[in-house]
Amino acid sequence: MPFKIVASQSTRSSACEPLYPNVATSAKAGNFVIESQKCTECIVYFDEPQCVAVCPVENTSVMDTSVSRLPRACLKGGCS
């Protein structure tokens, strides 16, 4: 599942923004959001999702259970 940023917990530090390998984060109305269509959980690029790794506030970047997860093979570029 892609990640989402819990706006009420975000410090709006933008620490996560430059780390996304697929430009999945952007600022909207003063808050950072993760575009679920672009989020690959950083699979292939990093050992752990970078939004979770760099966020200064725990549980601010969380799994978005409202969006289906792509099969792992697709996240690694195996689907077309």
Side-chain angles (χ1 to χ4, degrees), residues 18-31:
L19 296 174
Y20 282 95
N22 49 10
V23 194
T25 184
S26 60
K28 291 188 181 169
N31 293 308

Side-chain angles (χ1 to χ4, degrees), residues 3-4 6 9 16-17 20 26 29 32-33 36 40 42 44 51 59 62 65 67-69 73 75 78 80:
F3 280 79
K4 67 179 178 181
V6 179
Q9 292 184 198
C16 60
E17 190 174 23
Y20 282 95
S26 60
F32 285 92
V33 296
S36 60
T40 61
C42 294
V44 176
C51 58
N59 298 316
V62 297
T65 57
V67 180
S68 297
R69 183 179 189 183
L75 295 174
S80 45

Side-chain angles (χ1 to χ4, degrees), residues 44-62:
V44 176
Y45 302 100
F46 299 98
D47 291 333
E48 67 179 315
Q50 293 301 283
C51 58
V52 175
V54 302
C55 186
V57 181
E58 239 181 272
N59 298 316
T60 298
S61 293
V62 297

